[in-house]
Amino acid sequence: MNIKFNHALNDIKIYEAGKPIELVVREFGIDAKDVVKLASNENPKGVSPKVAQAIATNAYKAYLYPDDSMFELKAALAKKYAVNTDNIIIGAGSDQVLEFVSRAVLDDKSSVLMSGITFAMYEIYAKQMGAKVYKTANYRHLYDEFMEAYTMYHPKIVYICTPNNPTGDATLKSEVIRLIEAIKKDTVIVVDGAYMEYAVAKDEQYRITPLDLLAYDNVIYLGTFSKAYGLGGMRVGYGIANQEFIHELYKMRPPFNITTLSLLAAIEAMKDEVFVEESVALHLQEIKRYEAFAKERNIEYIESYTNFITYLFNEKRNATEISNALLGRGVIIRNLASYGLNGVRITVGTAEQNSIFFRHFDDVTSNN
Ligand code: PMP
């Protein structure tokens, strides 16, 4: 290959997404209906029936570009969060908003700071810009560790992922505010609340709203429709920040960056908050089974504030072997070896899916 790619790419590891159902069908000849996918933190209740109906009824609109102003969706979000529409930018997933922030702020002289184990795209987007990536020692967002690294490196972006992926832990609102207050106003702070709906249902002390953060003009809050709202496949997320900040991000946005049907689905999903509440309630009930299952088998787990749970194995169990054995049985979970952990992340599924997971897990680990 004679092409000289951007040298910033040398240092980038390609993002490893949760394995799709199609792969298991292809590689193991398992029927798609027998595959249990607990790998990508999707909503096990699926799509709200009202949203599915709206998508079906409007399928004929697929030939039309979406309303590029995305006014209706922004108005619904503005109402929900008591902010203005010009505080909001919509992305193809909150992933795309992360990309906008990275491109708008970073260059090859800058650096970013994040917790020791966190959402991999922060690092990838930063490296694309040639920026240096610093991580704290802990996966938890600890004030002292962050401030020590912040003082040493003066990063241009600090990422706070709460609740955190792939670990499931969350940071108290009071601690997030303490960090924001301590960090200089020329540093962008990204507060990624992709799983916030699950955290607040468990404990109000973790609730961080975009309105809380608008008091600081260097902070952006990210939210998504991919998890509790059941729309992972539609790719809709959002960023909420000071209007001048959002204005700059708009310079990075391609036109029509989400699809006509995605836009419509997100608008409909916001009208069906009952579905979100039911999804979270199901999750809170089912995750208890994962905690009990782990305790009975002496498996360490991280207390979760998300829709997944992270099991950490001791040397008697091997995360890669277990994930592969489960895959061969049509159960997809996330091996955390690429994060340097001998552990797995399991999206909490429906009662039936979880029972299948438990059964197969015991089977594949029976000789341990
Ligand atoms: N942030 C976190 C912490 C995530 O876990 C994810 C999805 N895995 C995202 C952002 C991106 O989600 P989406 O692009 O689907 O909105």
Side-chain angles (χ1 to χ4, degrees):
M1 174 67 73
N2 292 322
I3 303 167
K4 293 266 177 292
F5 289 97
N6 182 337
H7 64 86
L9 306 196
N10 294 341
D11 195 26
I12 296 180
K13 273 210 307 225
I14 296 174
Y15 183 81
E16 190 195 314
K19 294 190 167 52
I21 292 172
E22 291 79 354
L23 176 134
V24 182
V25 172
R26 241 181 3 252
E27 288 196 1
F28 301 100
I30 296 170
D31 207 287
K33 70 170 176 10
D34 296 327
V35 177
V36 174
K37 186 186 182 205
L38 302 174
S40 298
N41 306 335
E42 291 137 336
N43 186 334
K45 268 174 75 69
V47 187
S48 143
K50 289 180 186 157
V51 177
Q53 182 61 55
I55 295 170
T57 312
N58 288 284
Y60 75 95
K61 290 187 184 157
Y63 77 102
L64 289 169
Y65 283 116
D67 166 9
D68 194 51
S69 76
M70 303 186 198
F71 179 79
E72 201 178 336
L73 178 57
K74 287 201 284 186
L77 284 166
K79 184 156 177 255
K80 176 181 162 87
Y81 288 124
V83 300
N84 294 320
T85 52
D86 52 15
N87 295 125
I88 303 172
I89 187 163
I90 307 294
S94 49
D95 245 331
Q96 194 181 34
V97 184
L98 277 168
E99 185 186 1
F100 295 159
V101 175
S102 187
R103 284 171 43 216
V105 173
L106 301 174
D107 57 32
D108 61 2
K109 286 173 204 63
S110 30
S111 67
V112 302
L113 175 64
M114 62 193 73
S115 85
I117 300 176
T118 192
F119 185 44
M121 290 312 299
Y122 307 151
E123 176 167 351
I124 292 176
Y125 287 133
K127 285 185 170 170
Q128 286 175 2
M129 300 306 297
K132 260 198 147 60
V133 174
Y134 295 108
K135 296 182 186 179
T136 61
N138 208 292
Y139 65 80
R140 292 183 193 277
H141 294 69
L142 304 176
Y143 178 90
D144 289 343
E145 282 192 5
F146 265 77
M147 286 316 295
E148 193 187 330
Y150 179 74
T151 313
M152 194 160 359
Y153 303 120
H154 290 289
K156 283 191 84 176
I157 304 181
V158 174
Y159 295 91
I160 302 176
C161 188
T162 182
N164 195 11
N165 176 21
T167 47
D169 63 297
T171 311
L172 289 169
K173 176 185 170 185
S174 54
E175 284 297 285
V176 173
I177 298 294
R178 192 152 82 102
L179 266 173
I180 293 173
E181 295 269 356
I183 287 170
K184 286 209 227 120
K185 299 296 168 259
D186 61 358
T187 307
V188 167
I189 302 171
V190 174
V191 177
D192 185 346
Y195 301 92
M196 189 57 79
E197 290 84 358
Y198 298 95
V200 299
K202 185 161 168 167
D203 187 340
E204 274 295 322
Q205 294 183 84
Y206 293 92
R207 183 188 293 277
I208 297 168
T209 69
L211 187 61
D212 295 331
L213 303 180
L214 272 186
Y216 308 94
D217 60 17
N218 57 327
V219 182
I220 181 162
Y221 178 89
L222 303 187
T224 182
F225 286 91
S226 300
K227 315 293 174 188
Y229 284 81
L231 289 177
M234 298 308 273
R235 315 299 303 119
V236 189
Y238 51 90
I240 302 182
N242 170 280
Q243 77 180 75
E244 283 170 51
F245 191 158
I246 294 295
H247 181 78
E248 292 305 305
L249 298 186
Y250 259 90
K251 296 178 184 174
M252 302 298 147
R253 190 188 74 100
F256 312 119
N257 60 320
I258 65 171
T259 72
T260 302
L261 292 174
S262 304
L263 179 58
L264 181 137
I267 293 165
E268 288 304 314
M270 290 203 69
K271 295 179 190 159
D272 194 4
E273 289 287 345
V274 173
F275 174 81
V276 177
E277 283 161 25
E278 286 173 0
S279 302
V280 174
L282 167 74
H283 166 76
L284 290 179
Q285 188 184 314
E286 286 298 313
I287 197 168
K288 289 192 199 134
R289 296 177 62 202
Y290 278 88
E291 293 169 350
F293 184 85
K295 278 184 196 143
E296 283 160 18
R297 283 151 191 80
N298 228 348
I299 295 170
E300 189 190 335
Y301 65 86
I302 301 172
E303 171 147 25
S304 169
Y305 292 83
T306 56
N307 64 347
F308 57 83
I309 189 160
T310 296
Y311 283 179
L312 299 172
F313 300 136
N314 59 24
E315 64 290 342
K316 289 198 203 124
R317 292 189 173 90
N318 181 296
T320 304
E321 280 172 19
I322 292 173
S323 311
N324 289 341
L326 287 170
L327 197 62
R329 290 161 169 254
V331 179
I332 319 175
I333 59 168
R334 188 77 137 99
N335 177 12
L336 297 180
S338 64
Y339 287 89
L341 289 178
N342 180 28
V344 293
R345 188 192 71 188
I346 312 138
T347 306
V348 175
T350 61
E352 193 193 349
Q353 289 176 320
N354 299 331
S355 298
I356 294 172
F357 167 81
F358 296 140
R359 199 175 67 237
H360 285 301
F361 186 94
D362 275 343
D363 275 357
V364 304
T365 56
S366 59
N367 53 358
N368 280 313

